[in-house]
Amino acid sequence: MYSGSSDGESHSTEDPTGFVDALGSKSSPVHRIRCWTRIRSLNGSKPEEGSISHRVQKLAKYRFLKKQSDLLLNADDLDSMWVCLRENCVIDDATGAEKMNYEDFCHIASVCTEQIGPKCRRFFSPSNFMKFEKDESGRIAILPFYLYVMRTVSLTQARIDMSELDEDSDGFLQPHEMEAYIRGLIPNLAQLRDMPAAFVQMYCRIAAHKFSFFCDPHRRGKACIKKVLLSNCLQELMELHQESEEEVTDTEQAENWFSLTSAQHMFLALDKDMNGTLSKQELKEYADGTLTEIFIERVFDEHVRRCKIGAGSNREMDFDSFLDFVLALENKDTPEGLTYLFRCLDLNGRGFLTTADIHSLFSNRAYLEKNGSEEGEHHRDEMLPDTTFLHKILDVHQKWIEGGNYELCIEDVRDEIWDMVKPTDPLRITLADLLACKQGGTVASMLIDVRGFWAHDNRENLLQEEEEPEEES
């Protein structure tokens, strides 16, 4: 099997698969596109729209990308390569797998070059052969190699398509350019072909937002094309092309951000007053109301812009902010998701959590007495620990008890969190500590969601339930 498989949960822009080596080699079309982009950036200011210089530049870019596209293997070429691989390989007696040694590899390269042309030659380099796992006889399986070729061709074509939409030719895609790329893919994605025309624009906006969340972490308003190509977002989107809708369960569709089922039910179900934004009260219904109210307050404090409404002021979450919110909760273990959540957990904006913060997150009264909320601001002067307003604020501890569970000792929870994280400074937990401990997502869930705390508290029973069907089978 190909030795560089990537972790499906990672959204890193590193290249664990080794595809960048292939895409970035001096003989590859992508390398030429990058060189063209760098040369373009050295030309100085952007030519005036409609000028002769601008029109010549667009024509040169079109011809250049067309030439690079012509150098790629097409579907017939890939079919021919697969036939050549199967006809010239050997069968492993022990496993029945189709394999080839280096001599076979060189012979297949010659046959493919004769049948397909020189454009396939670059895939049969010695360095490519060495990328794959070999058996004791020095042979590699032909299937991982063929999948590598298909993946490289697909990524290169995607790079060319994105470059065509890159109006500034700076190697970055703005949100509307990313939406245009996704719109062009829809007719070729089996699960999206029957999408209602009226929903296409909204779907493209939802889909493009995930690329922005992971590929534009600094919120500059544009995503690096290289990061887009290496992100798992693109792989997840392409999964809609590989399988027909009938072969995918409703659960699998819901887990894929880009599926039609996931996109259609994301926002409208919560927007009760149908005003296009979500109030705090409406957002509290997310995830069946299991999120703590202090977390909802902090989300609005940190991630929702204040807008003027009449003489007063109020905050309501717009659609883009809601997409960020959902992406963070669905990807708590990623650096991007955990960074979003840490800002909410960091009650005082100091860049670290203390034991007092843990107490506040489990017992909202201390935080709300100090800071208030939009409702609490009207009662700040008379606010006392036993006021009616404070009794309405639900935290993990209170929701846990109301669910019929045993009494929690907050000190025990605090100690358990510290044991899980093992912070560098024993008195405070930083974002770097949460990322390094590999359990940051679990810690965040324990502090913001009673369902997340329940899952952690019952992790051994849940693990046993998952193992039991395997034993029976």
Side-chain angles (χ1 to χ4, degrees):
M1 184 176 178
Y2 183 48
S3 58
S5 61
S6 62
D7 184 357
E9 294 298 322
S10 171
H11 292 268
S12 169
T13 57
E14 297 177 359
D15 179 36
T17 62
F19 287 119
V20 167
D21 294 337
L23 293 175
S25 63
K26 292 185 178 181
S27 62
S28 72
V30 167
H31 176 77
R32 299 189 187 100
I33 295 172
R34 289 176 184 165
C35 291
W36 185 88
T37 301
R38 295 191 189 104
I39 293 172
R40 161 68 182 84
S41 65
L42 295 175
N43 289 337
S45 60
K46 183 180 178 180
E48 184 180 350
E49 184 78 23
S51 64
I52 294 179
S53 176
H54 180 259
R55 291 163 64 184
V56 169
Q57 189 179 88
K58 288 185 65 175
L59 179 61
K61 176 182 177 180
Y62 169 77
R63 290 186 175 180
F64 173 79
L65 295 176
K66 179 67 166 59
K67 181 179 179 180
Q68 302 311 313
S69 184
D70 292 340
L71 294 174
L72 292 178
L73 301 179
N74 56 37
D76 292 336
D77 296 334
L78 291 171
D79 290 341
S80 298
M81 179 181 288
W82 178 241
V83 172
C84 289
L85 287 167
R86 297 203 66 186
E87 289 180 347
N88 295 276
C89 68
V90 295
I91 306 298
D92 189 317
D93 295 333
T95 64
E98 298 172 309
K99 297 185 176 182
M100 57 182 171
N101 58 26
Y102 187 67
E103 291 182 0
D104 300 326
F105 184 74
C106 293
H107 174 68
I108 293 172
S110 300
V111 175
C112 287
T113 302
E114 292 177 1
Q115 296 184 6
I116 300 172
K119 58 185 178 181
C120 70
R121 189 74 194 182
R122 68 187 183 93
F123 293 108
F124 292 92
S125 64
S127 59
N128 276 349
F129 183 85
M130 295 301 296
K131 289 176 182 177
F132 297 88
E133 183 179 350
K134 289 169 280 296
D135 61 15
E136 63 279 359
S137 302
R139 300 175 301 183
I140 67 172
I142 66 170
L143 181 58
F145 173 77
Y146 180 69
L147 294 176
Y148 162 79
V149 174
M150 291 184 63
R151 170 79 166 153
T152 303
V153 171
S154 175
L155 285 178
T156 306
Q157 185 61 63
R159 180 67 168 94
I160 294 172
D161 294 340
M162 293 179 190
S163 296
E164 289 179 353
L165 297 168
D166 181 11
E167 297 174 358
D168 297 330
S169 299
D170 60 352
F172 290 81
L173 289 182
Q174 299 179 46
H176 72 277
E177 294 169 341
M178 193 70 229
E179 289 177 23
Y181 173 72
I182 294 170
R183 189 177 297 110
L185 287 179
I186 289 177
N188 299 319
L189 299 176
Q191 297 181 38
L192 302 181
R193 286 173 186 159
D194 298 329
M195 182 188 301
F199 186 66
V200 170
Q201 182 176 356
M202 177 62 75
Y203 173 83
C204 293
R205 182 181 174 187
I206 295 172
H209 202 91
K210 182 164 187 175
F211 285 96
S212 298
F213 186 84
F214 287 106
C215 303
D216 181 23
H218 301 297
R219 300 299 181 264
R220 294 180 296 176
K222 56 182 182 179
C224 177
I225 292 178
K226 178 181 177 182
K227 287 185 177 181
V228 172
L229 291 171
L230 294 178
S231 71
N232 281 348
C233 300
L234 187 62
Q235 181 178 348
E236 185 179 354
L237 177 61
M238 292 304 177
E239 287 177 2
L240 304 183
H241 170 72
Q242 296 170 355
E243 297 177 336
S244 64
E245 193 169 358
E246 292 76 13
E247 297 172 344
V248 184
T249 65
D250 292 339
T251 301
E252 290 172 334
Q253 286 191 40
E255 291 175 351
N256 189 323
W257 176 271
F258 299 104
S259 72
L260 194 57
T261 302
S262 174
Q264 280 180 318
H265 298 88
M266 194 163 295
F267 189 77
L268 297 178
L270 295 174
D271 188 13
K272 303 299 184 184
D273 56 9
M274 301 298 290
N275 68 342
T277 59
L278 298 180
S279 65
K280 292 180 183 179
Q281 193 62 39
E282 289 172 330
L283 190 62
K284 288 173 186 177
E285 300 302 316
Y286 182 85
D288 299 324
T290 60
L291 297 177
T292 66
E293 296 197 19
I294 189 173
F295 173 62
I296 300 297
E297 291 282 343
R298 291 292 297 151
V299 167
F300 274 76
D301 288 343
E302 294 293 331
H303 300 290
V304 178
R305 295 184 297 273
R306 186 179 296 275
C307 59
K308 296 295 182 180
I309 300 180
S313 64
N314 193 14
R315 287 186 186 182
E316 293 226 343
M317 178 178 282
D318 62 18
F319 185 64
D320 288 337
S321 298
F322 176 71
L323 292 179
D324 283 337
F325 172 79
V326 175
L327 284 166
L329 290 178
E330 291 185 353
N331 300 275
K332 290 188 287 288
D333 291 316
T334 66
E336 295 83 2
L338 201 52
T339 299
Y340 179 102
L341 297 175
F342 186 81
R343 286 179 58 185
C344 302
L345 299 176
D346 183 10
L347 302 179
N348 297 298
R350 297 171 298 186
F352 58 85
L353 306 180
T354 64
T355 55
D357 293 322
I358 302 301
H359 276 271
S360 295
L361 288 165
F362 263 78
S363 180
N364 295 330
R365 290 177 177 149
Y367 171 78
L368 290 171
E369 284 178 356
K370 178 180 178 182
N371 298 280
S373 66
E374 289 183 8
E375 183 180 355
E377 286 172 358
H378 301 296
H379 305 280
R380 178 174 290 185
D381 293 337
E382 68 265 24
M383 190 176 290
L384 296 171
D386 293 328
T387 60
T388 303
F389 169 69
L390 287 176
H391 277 301
K392 289 160 55 180
I393 303 302
L394 300 179
D395 52 26
V396 171
H397 183 224
Q398 185 173 344
K399 287 192 174 188
W400 175 265
I401 299 301
E402 290 182 356
N405 298 289
Y406 61 86
E407 179 64 39
L408 279 175
C409 177
I410 297 179
E411 286 72 19
D412 291 342
V413 175
R414 176 201 62 195
D415 293 342
E416 183 169 3
I417 289 176
W418 245 255
D419 289 340
M420 293 168 64
V421 178
K422 295 181 175 58
T424 304
D425 185 335
L427 298 180
R428 57 182 62 174
I429 293 175
T430 65
L431 175 60
D433 292 326
L434 289 177
L435 292 170
C437 75
K438 306 300 182 184
Q439 299 188 77
T442 301
V443 172
S445 294
M446 294 169 62
L447 295 175
I448 67 175
D449 186 353
V450 66
R451 187 164 50 190
F453 185 88
W454 183 90
H456 174 74
D457 191 65
N458 291 272
R459 58 194 180 279
E460 294 181 358
N461 294 334
L462 293 174
L463 182 61
Q464 184 177 359
E465 290 177 4
E466 292 177 358
E467 293 176 349
E468 283 178 355
E470 298 179 1
E471 295 176 357
E472 293 176 359
S473 58

